[in-house]
Amino acid sequence: MTINMTMFSTIWLFATFGVEFASYGANKFLFMKKLLLAAFVMAGIGFSAQAQQGSVLLYGNLGLETQNKHSKEGKVTAFTIAPGVGYQFNDNWTAGGEISFATAKFEDEKAMNEFKVGPFVRYSYPISNIFSIFGQLGAGYQGAKQGDYKASGAYAYVTPAISLNVKNGFGFSVAFGGIDFQTVKPKGGDAASSFGLTFGQTATIGISKNFGGKK
């Protein structure tokens, strides 16, 4: 196949995911099924070598999380956008920085806006010329605002994901949750911490591009 056909198919699949992604909270398993099917379709369209040592990684993730909490908050729906940039030291290790913006909607309450910034480390393991798996560890500062409520603190997370490599250094990744730890201190209040497992509660899709590197 030609490069143009590969990129056209990738764009078409992302447009399809946009519709499915918006309804993720209502039908998680259908979304996952279509996402995995699309990955195999893309694998048949084209492939490339893994990202090269010394390359610069640019990526952007979109995340959607839904939780039915047994508390006064009730159902929580959060949407996140997270761009990042890193340097790939070798075929496995990448380190860099990321920033994320999120909006969380609680039942019958104002939306909460959240902001995070910090470094990340990623370990990738290629399982073929097309597919690889990676785990990403991130930590840093976070802030939140909801009406008159303001808070700040720290966060840390570990997220496993599957990556599909397409032509010209482009990649497509999917993840369905991970492990996270947070500390939050409201303005004028006491600090609180939380530990969470979000497997099956969060869907994240991402697109990335590697620039340069040794051939």
Side-chain angles (χ1 to χ4, degrees), residues 145-211:
K145 186 177 186 301
Q146 184 183 32
D148 295 330
Y149 171 86
K150 294 182 180 180
S152 60
Y155 73 91
Y157 70 87
V158 177
T159 300
I162 301 172
S163 179
L164 174 66
N165 301 289
V166 292
K167 290 184 181 294
N168 295 337
F170 282 96
F172 171 73
S173 65
V174 294
F176 297 107
I179 303 172
D180 67 75
F181 175 79
Q182 300 188 53
T183 62
V184 177
K185 186 180 186 306
K187 186 176 180 180
D190 297 326
S193 61
S194 64
F195 175 84
L197 297 175
T198 60
F199 294 104
Q201 298 175 339
T202 303
T204 303
I205 59 176
I207 187 169
S208 62
K209 167 69 175 175
N210 279 81
F211 296 89

Side-chain angles (χ1 to χ4, degrees), residues 20 23-24 26-36:
E20 297 295 337
S23 61
Y24 171 75
N27 202 334
K28 300 178 182 180
F29 293 105
L30 179 59
F31 175 83
M32 294 180 186
K33 179 180 178 180
K34 290 189 177 182
L35 200 56
L36 293 174

Side-chain angles (χ1 to χ4, degrees), residues 36-200:
L36 293 174
L37 177 61
F40 284 106
V41 172
M42 289 178 69
I45 294 171
F47 62 90
S48 66
Q50 301 291 325
Q52 299 294 323
Q53 175 182 343
S55 63
V56 175
L57 169 70
L58 293 178
Y59 72 85
N61 292 333
L62 292 177
L64 182 65
E65 179 179 358
T66 60
Q67 295 186 36
N68 290 309
K69 296 185 176 181
H70 300 290
S71 64
K72 64 179 181 179
E73 289 90 354
K75 183 178 180 180
V76 181
T77 302
F79 177 78
T80 304
I81 180 170
V85 59
Y87 179 81
Q88 184 154 345
F89 296 94
N90 53 44
D91 291 341
N92 302 111
W93 290 100
T94 304
E98 62 182 350
I99 186 171
S100 72
F101 304 91
T103 297
K105 184 66 174 67
F106 304 88
E107 287 185 349
D108 302 323
E109 294 185 20
K110 292 182 178 180
M112 176 179 289
N113 296 316
E114 300 176 338
F115 166 81
K116 296 180 179 180
V117 60
F120 75 87
V121 176
R122 177 183 295 188
Y123 181 83
S124 301
Y125 182 79
I127 55 180
S128 72
N129 283 337
I130 303 171
F131 291 102
S132 63
I133 56 176
F134 68 83
Q136 184 160 311
L137 168 66
Y141 168 84
Q142 66 176 346
K145 186 177 186 301
Q146 184 183 32
D148 295 330
Y149 171 86
K150 294 182 180 180
S152 60
Y155 73 91
Y157 70 87
V158 177
T159 300
I162 301 172
S163 179
L164 174 66
N165 301 289
V166 292
K167 290 184 181 294
N168 295 337
F170 282 96
F172 171 73
S173 65
V174 294
F176 297 107
I179 303 172
D180 67 75
F181 175 79
Q182 300 188 53
T183 62
V184 177
K185 186 180 186 306
K187 186 176 180 180
D190 297 326
S193 61
S194 64
F195 175 84
L197 297 175
T198 60
F199 294 104

